[in-house]
Amino acid sequence: MELKNGLGHLSYSTLVHLGDTWAEMNASLREFVPQVKKRVSPDAPFAVSLRISASSAKTLTESAAERKSLSEFLAAEDLYVYTVNAFPYGPFKGEIVMERVYEPDWTTDDRVNYTNSIADILAEISPAHINPSIQTAPLAFKPNVNGESYIQLFTRNVFRVVAHLRALEERTGRRVKLAIEPEPACYLETTDETLEWFENRIYSPAGIRELAEVAGIPLSEAEGAVRRYLGIVFDIGHQSVGFENITDSLTKIVNAGIPIFKLQEAASLWVEELTQDKIPALRRFTDTIYLSQTSLKQNGKINKFLNLGEALDDFEANPVATEMRTHFHVPVFLEELGPFRTTRFGVQEALKMHRATPLSDHLEIETYTWDVLPPELKTGDIIEYVSRELEFVRNELIG
């Protein structure tokens, strides 16, 4: 839905639903999204954040009939696509995902071709008044980045997609934006790492020259093109896991001139004081198919672990005073989750900034963990769950 006063378009990520193939995603879209719209936006068009896997992209690219059917469904239900989640390339539901979610990474032609196909689909199915965004992976899983040549390769491949987006707009008149999402344990993880990559690899004279070469355009056009088509997704939950001050991080990004093409309202699990008696309840969150990157703050130092279970093992071996945050997406309308808390405060900080001066025209809630939440923490069904999240964010912004 489009919020008033230039606050942008808001929806929830359909990544929460079954959607590894187009048949699955199409069925989920038709079953759930109209029900959510009926509750939160009954009298106005409702925005759709569409998950499109590589398999779905292939189906839609090869079938004009499927694209036509999708467009007709959207129009009939008063829905519009404003963003696509093209982060998970392959399966994301029903099987172990973990670090496979980053594969293929940005060093590969597969990632480039997949992203370009998403752009082409968006140019056709999104309405003319929307400049849709593509959410993508944070370049590579950090342990896989083994040297300068690796960094140079994924940077050049990002430029290849920027060149495609520029050519797409020249050909169709449709501007599609690429938004890279920093995430714990990835090459782009912290705000400072993100700033460094953009400043040294993208906005630097060498970066601008490389884009001009890749796109076959003059230097005078390349600098404007990179800012027009390349930006970030700022996932508030991800940066909260790293103990970042959300206001400070967003201010740094804005001051660096990096476009925030999507502001993602997400909250993570937070334990203010980790103690032995809390371990059994926390172990219930380790039974998940996703990574649960976890940070332990001990004696002023932040120690990072790839999974919550590893962090808990470390604490039990050395039970010192500890504050813990973990990458387990939890409902943004909850400040507390059983005996624990959430980093909802970070969402509220970001929304306060956004309300004063809009940071992005795309807002999205991405709590995709409904299927792996402990049963007693689920309230109602999936329709109520995502509707309450949307209502919370909307109320924070416009009352």
Side-chain angles (χ1 to χ4, degrees):
M1 54 193 155
E2 186 170 8
L3 303 174
K4 298 177 181 178
N5 302 318
L7 292 173
H9 302 269
L10 169 66
S11 195
Y12 77 99
S13 175
T14 53
L15 194 64
V16 72
H17 302 308
L18 192 65
D20 289 340
T21 66
W22 181 243
E24 292 172 344
M25 189 71 259
N26 193 27
S28 294
L29 181 66
R30 291 168 186 265
E31 178 180 0
F32 297 112
V33 176
Q35 295 185 66
V36 176
K37 180 192 185 302
K38 184 177 180 180
R39 172 163 170 168
V40 301
S41 184
D43 302 317
F46 184 65
V48 177
S49 167
L50 187 60
R51 190 254 166 134
I52 301 181
S53 66
S55 171
S56 295
K58 184 175 188 295
T59 299
L60 289 169
T61 298
E62 293 177 350
S63 175
E66 286 291 346
R67 298 195 304 275
K68 183 174 184 289
S69 175
L70 173 59
S71 295
E72 289 174 346
F73 164 76
L74 294 168
E77 296 291 340
D78 203 16
L79 305 171
Y80 63 96
V81 174
Y82 75 117
T83 187
V84 160
N85 189 323
F87 187 141
Y89 179 96
F92 194 71
K93 295 288 181 181
E95 61 182 79
I96 300 297
V97 179
M98 298 298 178
E99 61 267 31
R100 286 194 298 135
V101 74
Y102 310 118
E103 300 298 333
D105 71 16
W106 271 94
T107 61
T108 66
D109 286 342
D110 284 344
R111 178 62 69 170
V112 171
N113 295 335
Y114 163 54
T115 307
N116 286 344
S117 71
I118 297 293
D120 295 344
I121 292 165
L122 270 171
E124 182 174 338
I125 68 169
S126 62
H129 69 284
I130 299 292
N131 295 321
S133 58
I134 302 173
Q135 176 179 341
T136 192
L139 304 177
F141 185 47
K142 189 173 285 185
N144 291 343
V145 181
N146 55 19
E148 175 64 19
S149 61
Y150 209 97
I151 299 169
Q152 289 178 352
L153 180 54
F154 63 57
T155 301
R156 189 173 184 86
N157 281 343
V158 168
F159 284 141
R160 289 171 63 193
V161 173
V162 172
H164 180 86
L165 297 178
R166 183 180 183 278
L168 179 66
E169 184 173 14
E170 284 196 334
R171 186 174 71 253
T172 67
R174 302 304 316 282
R175 177 187 172 210
V176 180
K177 305 174 290 189
L178 179 64
I180 299 172
E181 180 183 12
E183 178 169 313
C186 294
Y187 180 75
L188 295 188
E189 174 175 357
T190 68
T191 294
D192 286 343
E193 287 171 344
T194 302
L195 293 172
E196 181 181 6
W197 183 70
F198 270 89
E199 290 171 357
N200 295 338
R201 305 282 180 170
I202 303 299
Y203 296 157
S204 66
I208 298 302
R209 282 196 301 272
E210 185 169 9
L211 174 58
E213 174 200 337
V214 170
I217 57 177
L219 284 171
S220 58
E221 298 295 317
E223 186 162 4
V226 77
R227 295 180 188 271
R228 183 169 178 80
Y229 302 108
L230 181 64
I232 65 166
V233 175
F234 188 92
D235 184 305
I236 301 160
H238 288 173
Q239 305 318 119
S240 295
V241 167
F243 285 90
E244 292 191 17
N245 179 294
I246 297 302
T247 300
D248 289 349
S249 292
L250 285 168
T251 300
K252 286 180 181 179
I253 291 165
V254 171
N255 289 344
I258 300 171
I260 302 171
F261 285 148
K262 188 189 290 186
L263 181 63
Q264 211 159 49
E265 291 72 48
S268 296
L269 191 63
W270 172 34
V271 182
E272 287 185 278
E273 184 180 358
L274 184 59
T275 53
Q276 289 282 4
D277 62 299
K278 295 175 182 174
I279 298 294
L282 285 168
R283 292 280 183 193
R284 300 199 65 196
F285 290 90
T286 63
D287 185 19
T288 174
I289 61 176
Y290 308 114
L291 286 179
S292 52
Q293 301 96 316
T294 300
S295 299
L296 302 182
K297 192 172 186 179
Q298 301 166 319
N299 299 317
K301 181 182 177 183
I302 298 173
N303 299 307
K304 297 181 178 181
F305 300 84
L306 193 56
N307 283 294
L308 173 60
E310 298 167 6
L312 297 178
D313 291 344
D314 185 83
F315 172 78
E316 289 194 292
N318 182 32
V320 299
T322 298
E323 180 182 356
M324 187 195 85
R325 298 183 186 180
T326 188
H327 179 214
F328 194 106
H329 286 219
V330 294
V332 296
F333 54 80
L334 292 180
E335 188 173 16
E336 297 181 348
L337 199 67
F340 313 118
R341 301 194 69 188
T342 77
T343 61
R344 188 182 78 172
F345 63 88
V347 174
Q348 292 172 307
E349 286 180 26
L351 293 178
K352 181 180 178 181
M353 287 185 69
H354 182 74
R355 188 168 62 243
T357 304
L359 301 166
S360 177
D361 62 343
H362 290 180
L363 309 180
E364 180 195 73
I365 299 164
E366 192 197 55
T367 311
Y368 55 78
T369 48
W370 166 264
D371 52 336
V372 293
L373 272 176
E376 72 276 10
L377 299 178
K378 297 181 181 181
T379 55
D381 59 16
I382 188 65
I383 304 301
E384 180 180 355
Y385 174 79
V386 298
S387 296
R388 288 183 65 188
E389 292 198 299
L390 288 164
E391 289 161 351
F392 170 80
V393 171
R394 181 171 60 186
N395 289 338
E396 286 287 311
L397 289 172
I398 63 177

